[in-house]
Amino acid sequence: MVDCEFNPSGVSRIPFSAVYRTVGFKETEAQVYLTAAPITAKILDVERFTRAPDRFNMSKHRSVSKAMPAVFKIELKHGNFTWIVKRKEKHFMELHRELLKYKTLMRIPLPTRSHTERRKSIKRSEVRQMPALPRGGGDELAREEQVSSRRKQLEDYLNKLLRMAMYRKYYATIEFIDVSQLSFIQDLGPKGLEGIVYKRSGGHRIPGMNCCGHNEVCYRWSKRWLIVKDSFLLYMKPDTGAISFVLLVDNEFSIKMDSKYTDTKHGVRIENLSRKLVLKFTSYRHARWWGQAIESFVRKHGKAFLRAHRFGSFAREEENIPSKWYVNGKTYMEDVANALEEAKEEIFITDWWLSPEIFLKRPVVEGNRWRLDCILKRKAQQGVRIFVMLYKEVELALGINSEYSKRTLIHLHPNIKVMRHPDHVSSSVYLWAHHEKIVVIDQSVAFVGGIDLAYGRWDDSEHRLTDVGSVTRSVAQAMEQGLDSSTPRKKVSTSGNSSRSMTGDSVDLPKLKGIGRTRKTRFSLYHHIQRGLHHADSISSIDSTNKSGSMLQTGVGELMGNTRFWHGKDYCNFVYKDWVRLDKPFDDFIDRYTTPRMPWHDISSVVHGKAARDVARHFIQRWNFTKIMKPKYRSLSYPFLLPKSHSTANDLKYQAPDCVQTKVQVLRSAADWSAGIKHHEESIHNAYIQVIAKSKHFIYIENQFFISCADNKHVYNKIGDAIIERIIRAHKEKKPFRVYVVTPLLPGFEGDISTGGGNALQAVMHFNYRTMNRGEYSIIAQLKKEMDDQWMNYISICGLRTHAELEGRLVTELIYVHSKLLIADDSTVIIGSANINDRSMLGKRDSEVAVIFEDSETTPSVMDGQEYQAGKFALQLRLECFKTILGAFDDPTIDVSDPISNGFYKDVWMSISGRNATIYEKVFRCLPSSLVRNKQELMSFHFKSGLDKEDPVKAQELLKKIRGFLVQFPLEFLCEENLMPSVGTKEAMVPTEIWT
């Protein structure tokens, strides 16, 4: 039996998780009704039809028209559900005959187990007291009074029947009153039409899914139980109870009942963006009733889904949604971990890349408790269903090893289901990726943004370059020796080199694996840890338990004082070296003592209620599409997912802390290959363009790419063009307007920039520079045509960089900006997974999800020296970003409250980014740099060293003047070179769309 939850009124609720436990309709354990809630029936109306005279056989009939059987329109109520069924006299007779057979059968003690169980479950008195059905006057009730008395008799009969559990639960009764196991689940919304139908196979919009030709031979008709809900319909197989298709209501949803549309007599065609579904009925009137009833029900309860929405999005604008932003992975992953912990029914995750072994809370002080795979395993054991969709990469091109992630997750627990998509050969999608990053809990809390649950993403506002724990090499070595021999510990001081060759595996030291390690060390340390272990619900092998020594909670606080933020593969610098051997999660692949990590700057968000339902709906659409698309997912072990109703969306069991109410709309890039829809959607692109065009004061953009300015040959998205138009308008109106763009100093491809950086890296640089300042289409070139050097008053392009001391030397590294953020006028924000390039924006290419937030709560602020009502959500986010990158948290004299005044733009933003860039150039002679315009200058650039080598004391003094992380973008770097891949290289052979 399904457990019931009781609500305050004492009427039980069937939990949503019952949708995963449906059984055959005739099974005794099928739970249909709410316990403790009666079902009542009332006959509202009796419809009498007359059949039109038969034109051809006039002679046979004396009467001109013939009365048809009366149809009783019955209203049923159960709990807070109300629905209507139509039945004829003969249907009552058939039901009564079925029940008599059942009653007789129940009196005979047959020797089968199921029969015995069923007999035990019924009350003897009910068997005897089955209501009698008074004989009626046949189907044709002539006079009015006959009709009303018969109506009363049938109503009484039905109500008596429905009061008796034995007969109410019998499948013939269930079918008679059109109910099923999915009728009374509160979260699926109001009860719509249900019943047996015949459906035709095919009709999908999936390439390769339909049979050739439209002749009858191809079609199969199957008997199914159809259920109509407020925003979708589904059909089930009555004999097994399996849900075998879900059709979502969308703005192309339509119902046609004419035989020319259905190619069948008495047919109904239901169509949406993904499928044409044809149903067949027994008569013209039966088909009409179904068609009209579905249409009126969906119009009444699902009109939000039938309409076209702003920006061409699949989702409407939702008011008063609790919303929150995240700057960097630390706070984001903490909130994700807490929300996952609160999941009761379902968890949906989709990522471009997912690393099962990452820690969501750091530093690690509770053993493996907050490791992603451990959280998911724990929730699955509690009965939560977990669905994960991963991007299936082209393995030659990317090393993210989604196959390893899938294998690791599905081995944790049968409640965890993982799909990968696309199949490159069968779907012939080689170039595009699933790029969205979503985590949805119970369809009521949804995290959307730029942060994958993967290595390298966790970071905080300090953007540290080093992570060697709190021990130096010599101390680490001493501890190693002390532990191994269990003798009193001596501090052994050695030269740097020899200590690095000692085994450090046991204390999770960052050396490359297998250098000078003996088995003895490993196991003695392992047992040593085990003795002091309080709890580490590790699901990994001995090997990884011991390697993650510093993660285990011992009796004496953190093991060996070696707190680390980034373990194993999480310590990375992907421009220096791409990930390898992901199946060894706790082995370092970069030497922490020589190479700084690459910090990761990113933005994400969380929404609740109806907006979370919309994000979940997108996930469900993709999951169900992938299930149909890939034969290996068609088995019942990968269930169809059902969207929860918007009618229960405000009933939040859990909410992320510190939210602000905003108006929210979910946006996406989706197409036939990614979501199985007929027309592609590019609502993120549309929203960007409209928000830029309507902005009044400023635009702040953080993005991993900056590839735009359409030439309709190589580049098609128009975000750059919208920026140019907006600035020219401001210039003509002589009004202040600022555009801030923050983007990575180098694209995130492995390559040594000191020798040019490799073809992939250069190709992306080419398109970034083509958007900024090179060539006729670029923003700066087009602005110069209009206003000469005045463009500098309107747009500033910057990157982020930081520095640190590593083992006594000064080091610097760029901060990788991975955000996909736009803020306009401190009132509108777009956060998502979509980069500013054609791949993300055009809709037909990569799949993406974003959210636009418009503030409904305001707070007093300043804009160009004037008082200004800023939005609470947008303002706080902009202040957080500005203070972090300009160093205002450490230096209170930096005022970032007015984003467009000359005082801020010139004396703070331009001045800090210019000064920081100059200091970094002097101290480190770092690349990219505007001093290097061609390959010759690049080659000679390294011969002269910076102050970090020549005068470390002076270098330290200069570095004290650095504020925050902001540096001017080196617009002239390699400006005399053609950065496109040269003919003959493998990068030159792939289509340009790869880079744009």
Side-chain angles (χ1 to χ4, degrees):
M1 285 296 281
V2 179
D3 317 324
C4 278
E5 303 161 349
F6 282 87
N7 63 7
S9 65
V11 174
S12 68
R13 285 177 74 154
I14 300 173
F16 181 76
S17 52
V19 303
Y20 298 114
R21 297 195 288 263
T22 51
V23 295
F25 286 22
K26 293 185 180 180
E27 302 291 327
T28 33
E29 64 268 27
Q31 190 191 356
V32 173
Y33 304 109
L34 304 168
T35 44
I39 307 178
T40 55
K42 185 176 178 210
I43 298 180
L44 298 179
D45 194 12
V46 183
E47 295 172 357
R48 321 264 312 271
F49 297 101
T50 51
R51 187 180 282 145
D54 191 328
R55 281 179 307 200
F56 304 109
N57 295 347
M58 286 298 281
S59 58
K60 283 190 187 169
H61 291 274
R62 287 211 193 111
S63 61
V64 183
S65 65
K66 182 170 164 31
M68 294 274 290
V71 176
F72 297 93
K73 189 175 174 188
I74 311 162
E75 180 187 69
L76 292 132
K77 287 189 175 167
H78 180 45
N80 52 4
F81 296 91
T82 307
W83 70 105
I84 288 188
V85 298
K86 288 188 174 185
R87 292 292 176 262
K88 295 178 187 170
E89 171 93 21
K90 69 169 184 187
H91 296 130
F92 279 92
M93 300 303 222
E94 283 164 9
L95 172 66
H96 193 62
R97 274 199 298 275
E98 279 290 323
L99 293 174
L100 284 172
K101 272 191 236 163
Y102 175 53
K103 173 184 171 179
T104 315
L105 190 66
M106 283 298 106
R107 291 182 146 171
I108 307 167
L110 294 177
T112 65
R113 190 172 155 199
S114 61
H115 187 77
T116 316
E117 279 178 8
R118 184 166 282 215
R119 284 193 67 194
K120 273 187 199 157
S121 72
I122 60 176
K123 291 183 188 161
R124 284 292 151 84
S125 59
E126 287 189 351
V127 180
R128 289 195 295 276
Q129 292 165 0
M130 178 182 158
L133 178 63
R135 291 195 67 92
D139 261 349
E140 299 168 30
L141 298 168
R143 295 192 304 280
E144 260 327 295
E145 58 270 28
Q146 272 178 313
V147 173
S148 63
S149 72
R150 187 63 181 151
R151 176 173 165 175
K152 187 85 188 78
Q153 286 172 345
L154 292 176
E155 193 177 286
D156 290 348
Y157 169 76
L158 195 53
N159 277 312
K160 274 182 199 157
L161 204 59
L162 292 173
R163 280 198 288 274
M164 301 171 127
M166 166 185 169
Y167 300 115
R168 183 172 67 214
K169 285 181 177 167
Y170 188 50
Y171 79 92
T173 316
I174 287 172
E175 210 171 289
F176 181 85
I177 60 170
D178 282 354
V179 296
S180 69
Q181 296 160 72
L182 301 182
S183 299
F184 307 115
I185 295 172
Q186 198 71 38
D187 274 334
L188 287 178
K191 179 177 168 2
L193 222 65
E194 297 186 39
I196 290 288
V197 300
Y198 283 85
K199 66 94 192 169
R200 191 166 77 189
S201 59
H204 300 276
R205 294 205 196 285
I206 301 171
M209 266 298 291
N210 297 315
C211 36
C212 45
H214 278 274
N215 54 350
E216 277 297 313
V217 187
C218 262
Y219 297 135
R220 252 189 359 267
W221 290 96
S222 317
K223 183 180 174 184
R224 296 288 180 263
W225 181 268
L226 183 73
I227 300 180
V228 182
K229 291 289 183 184
D230 55 1
S231 74
F232 68 96
L233 36 108
L234 65 89
Y235 52 74
M236 303 168 78
K237 294 181 176 167
D239 47 346
T240 62
I243 295 169
S244 50
F245 187 70
V246 177
L247 184 131
L248 300 179
V249 173
D250 55 38
N251 60 12
E252 293 250 325
F253 183 84
S254 68
I255 291 181
K256 303 232 170 32
M257 289 170 274
D258 196 329
S259 59
K260 73 166 187 257
Y261 295 114
T262 59
D263 304 329
T264 183
K265 203 175 171 193
H266 313 321
V268 172
R269 183 176 96 181
I270 304 171
E271 189 174 350
N272 74 349
L273 281 166
S274 312
R275 186 176 181 186
K276 286 180 189 159
L277 175 64
V278 176
L279 309 174
K280 168 165 87 171
F281 296 92
T282 49
S283 69
Y284 171 78
R285 192 169 288 117
H286 192 202
R288 257 256 107 31
W289 147 248
W290 267 91
Q292 288 166 352
I294 294 172
E295 187 145 27
S296 63
F297 184 81
V298 170
R299 286 208 182 291
K300 182 179 172 189
H301 297 285
K303 55 176 183 292
F305 301 97
L306 294 166
R307 296 199 177 128
H309 302 295
R310 182 178 66 159
F311 308 132
S313 171
F314 75 105
R316 64 175 176 179
E317 299 156 64
E318 305 287 3
E319 306 274 349
N320 305 324
I321 298 294
S323 314
K324 181 180 179 178
W325 47 257
Y326 301 94
V327 177
N328 297 316
K330 178 182 196 287
T331 49
Y332 171 72
M333 290 187 187
E334 254 166 46
D335 272 13
V336 167
N338 292 333
L340 290 172
E341 197 57 41
E342 294 295 325
K344 299 284 182 283
E345 294 153 352
E346 297 171 320
I347 294 169
F348 300 160
I349 301 175
T350 179
D351 273 331
W352 178 79
W353 180 23
L354 182 143
S355 314
E357 297 85 4
I358 62 160
F359 288 87
L360 298 184
K361 293 190 182 184
R362 308 183 199 188
V364 176
V365 289
E366 291 184 78
N368 284 335
R369 183 173 170 78
W370 298 110
R371 204 170 93 182
L372 179 58
D373 51 1
C374 298
I375 299 173
L376 295 180
K377 180 177 187 182
R378 184 162 66 243
K379 295 315 289 184
Q381 286 168 338
Q382 290 166 14
V384 175
R385 307 279 172 152
I386 298 167
F387 302 98
V388 182
M389 272 191 291
L390 299 176
Y391 161 54
K392 185 176 182 180
E393 75 283 9
V394 179
E395 284 157 28
L396 295 170
L398 277 171
I400 55 179
N401 204 342
S402 61
E403 209 261 330
Y404 167 76
S405 304
K406 176 179 176 176
R407 205 172 53 238
T408 308
L409 292 172
I410 56 181
H411 285 147
L412 298 175
H413 194 277
N415 273 354
I416 301 177
K417 305 290 179 204
V418 185
M419 287 185 182
R420 295 194 303 154
H421 186 260
D423 255 354
H424 307 289
V425 181
S426 66
S427 63
S428 65
V429 176
Y430 292 96
L431 304 181
W432 315 134
H434 285 296
H435 192 244
E436 59 225 55
K437 298 100 175 50
I438 303 173
V439 179
V440 185
I441 285 95
D442 293 339
Q443 299 194 35
S444 21
V445 182
F447 294 87
V448 178
I451 307 176
D452 285 304
L453 298 177
Y455 295 134
R457 271 65 175 169
W458 188 95
D459 211 334
D460 58 17
S461 55
E462 290 184 41
H463 292 313
R464 299 171 183 82
L465 289 183
T466 62
D467 186 38
V468 291
S470 52
V471 286
T472 60
R473 285 191 212 162
S474 51
V475 176
Q477 192 193 351
M479 290 171 104
E480 172 72 29
Q481 291 178 340
L483 258 181
D484 195 22
S485 54
S486 63
T487 52
R489 295 186 188 169
K490 309 180 189 69
K491 179 162 179 178
V492 186
S493 186
T494 52
S495 71
N497 284 344
S498 63
S499 79
R500 210 161 65 230
S501 67
M502 293 293 297
T503 159
D505 231 358
S506 39
V507 282
D508 195 30
L509 278 187
K511 35 147 297 299
L512 296 161
K513 193 177 170 196
I515 305 173
R517 183 188 63 211
T518 60
R519 271 205 119 104
K520 179 174 175 284
T521 323
R522 258 167 89 178
F523 284 100
S524 64
L525 175 67
Y526 176 65
H527 293 306
H528 196 96
I529 291 170
Q530 284 296 312
R531 280 204 298 279
L533 198 62
H534 276 241
H535 69 277
D537 49 340
S538 172
I539 50 175
S540 50
S541 60
I542 285 183
D543 210 33
S544 66
T545 313
N546 107 52
K547 262 178 286 190
S548 48
S550 61
M551 303 169 206
L552 303 178
Q553 196 184 41
T554 62
V556 286
E558 190 67 306
L559 180 70
M560 302 184 253
N562 185 7
T563 307
R564 286 234 173 106
F565 290 103
W566 294 274
H567 295 275
K569 295 288 184 290
D570 219 352
Y571 185 92
C572 55
N573 185 325
F574 44 90
V575 174
Y576 168 75
K577 183 181 181 187
D578 220 334
W579 281 272
V580 288
R581 293 305 307 270
L582 291 169
D583 52 339
K584 298 270 186 249
F586 301 111
D587 291 359
D588 284 11
F589 70 116
I590 285 177
D591 187 340
R592 303 176 184 242
Y593 291 111
T594 57
T595 308
R597 68 178 282 275
M598 183 168 283
W600 189 279
H601 182 76
D602 217 331
I603 306 278
S604 199
S605 67
V606 65
V607 294
H608 300 75
K610 290 181 177 175
R613 291 275 201 273
D614 291 335
V615 177
R617 192 179 182 84
H618 166 76
F619 181 95
I620 288 165
Q621 184 173 37
R622 271 195 50 207
W623 177 274
N624 290 349
F625 161 67
T626 309
K627 176 174 165 56
I628 297 167
M629 176 87 185
K630 288 184 72 169
K632 70 155 114 177
Y633 299 138
R634 284 184 207 150
S635 79
L636 291 180
S637 64
Y638 287 86
F640 276 101
L641 301 183
L642 307 182
K644 289 187 179 179
S645 169
H646 275 53
S647 63
T648 57
N650 295 336
D651 176 21
L652 289 179
K653 307 266 189 302
Y654 174 77
Q655 188 176 315
D658 312 319
C659 286
V660 176
Q661 302 261 331
T662 65
K663 183 170 95 175
V664 162
Q665 188 181 10
V666 180
L667 311 168
R668 65 178 181 173
S669 290
D672 51 1
W673 81 264
S674 58
I677 52 178
K678 183 164 65 172
H679 311 299
H680 76 279
E681 178 175 326
E682 50 179 303
S683 48
I684 306 175
H685 185 204
N686 296 338
Y688 261 78
I689 290 168
Q690 286 192 39
V691 169
I692 291 168
K694 289 179 180 169
S695 59
K696 294 186 168 63
H697 306 286
F698 76 92
I699 299 158
Y700 174 67
I701 289 173
E702 284 184 11
N703 208 289
Q704 181 190 358
F705 290 85
F706 195 50
I707 296 176
S708 188
C709 300
D711 57 6
N712 295 329
K713 200 164 65 199
H714 299 302
V715 179
Y716 294 89
N717 82 78
K718 297 189 163 49
I719 292 168
D721 307 79
I723 291 172
I724 295 165
E725 279 169 37
R726 184 62 193 88
I727 290 175
I728 291 174
R729 194 169 90 224
H731 184 67
K732 284 180 176 156
E733 292 169 356
K734 297 194 167 31
K735 286 186 178 163
F737 187 79
R738 316 283 189 193
V739 178
Y740 302 95
V741 179
V742 177
T743 187
L745 292 167
L746 287 174
F749 292 89
E750 185 180 335
D752 181 359
I753 193 62
S754 62
T755 59
N759 292 323
L761 198 130
Q762 286 191 9
V764 175
M765 269 168 52
H766 166 84
F767 285 105
N768 277 334
Y769 279 124
R770 180 199 159 281
T771 308
M772 296 173 191
N773 67 330
R774 296 182 195 171
E776 55 177 325
Y777 293 100
S778 69
I779 293 176
I780 291 173
Q782 294 206 49
L783 292 178
K784 275 182 176 170
K785 267 192 263 177
E786 289 286 328
M787 58 189 79
D788 294 330
D789 282 347
Q790 289 289 303
W791 67 268
M792 293 182 192
N793 292 325
Y794 296 99
I795 183 166
S796 164
I797 302 172
C798 294
L800 304 180
R801 181 176 280 286
T802 186
H803 64 276
E805 203 172 302
L806 177 61
E807 292 287 299
R809 337 173 259 119
L810 289 171
V811 289
T812 182
E813 187 52 89
L814 63 90
I815 296 171
Y816 195 63
V817 178
H818 189 261
S819 336
K820 298 94 177 54
L821 165 72
L822 180 143
I823 304 176
D825 301 342
D826 282 344
S827 63
T828 305
V829 176
I830 301 176
I831 293 173
S833 65
N835 293 317
I836 295 181
N837 59 14
D838 281 359
R839 289 187 72 111
S840 291
M841 289 293 170
L842 295 186
K844 295 175 184 174
R845 301 187 181 181
D846 289 3
S847 69
E848 308 284 0
V849 175
V851 178
I852 179 167
F853 300 88
E854 291 162 281
D855 270 296
S856 37
E857 297 178 29
T858 59
T859 180
S861 178
V862 213
M863 190 73 73
D864 200 20
Q866 307 295 309
E867 273 186 26
Y868 180 73
Q869 286 301 312
K872 212 168 171 179
F873 182 91
L875 176 68
Q876 294 305 328
L877 172 56
R878 180 187 59 82
L879 292 176
E880 180 75 18
C881 292
F882 275 24
K883 285 178 177 175
T884 303
I885 65 181
L886 290 163
F889 284 121
D890 303 324
D891 183 347
T893 62
I894 299 171
D895 179 10
V896 298
S897 57
D898 186 336
I900 67 168
S901 66
N902 269 337
F904 172 75
Y905 184 73
K906 291 182 175 160
D907 306 339
V908 178
W909 184 273
M910 296 300 242
S911 147
I912 287 178
S913 59
R915 183 173 66 231
N916 286 352
T918 311
I919 294 172
Y920 279 128
E921 207 137 65
K922 275 186 186 153
V923 172
F924 296 105
R925 284 184 71 73
C926 43
L927 291 169
S929 156
S930 282
L931 300 174
V932 176
R933 290 158 185 262
N934 54 45
K935 293 272 169 71
Q936 281 69 39
E937 291 179 7
L938 185 64
M939 294 310 157
S940 57
F941 191 67
H942 286 287
F943 294 133
K944 184 166 183 285
S945 47
L947 288 174
D948 58 332
K949 310 271 191 305
E950 292 182 351
D951 189 348
V953 180
K954 189 170 180 205
Q956 290 277 20
E957 283 305 303
L958 272 177
L959 289 172
K960 282 183 188 150
K961 295 189 177 141
I962 294 275
R963 291 288 174 273
F965 306 114
L966 197 68
V967 292
Q968 261 171 10
F969 202 88
L971 291 173
E972 302 309 315
F973 179 59
L974 294 181
C975 60
E976 295 166 16
E977 295 289 334
N978 176 12
L979 297 174
M980 278 304 274
S982 47
V983 180
T985 59
K986 68 174 192 289
E987 285 82 3
M989 291 180 210
V990 298
T992 338
E993 293 101 275
I994 282 277
W995 316 115
T996 60

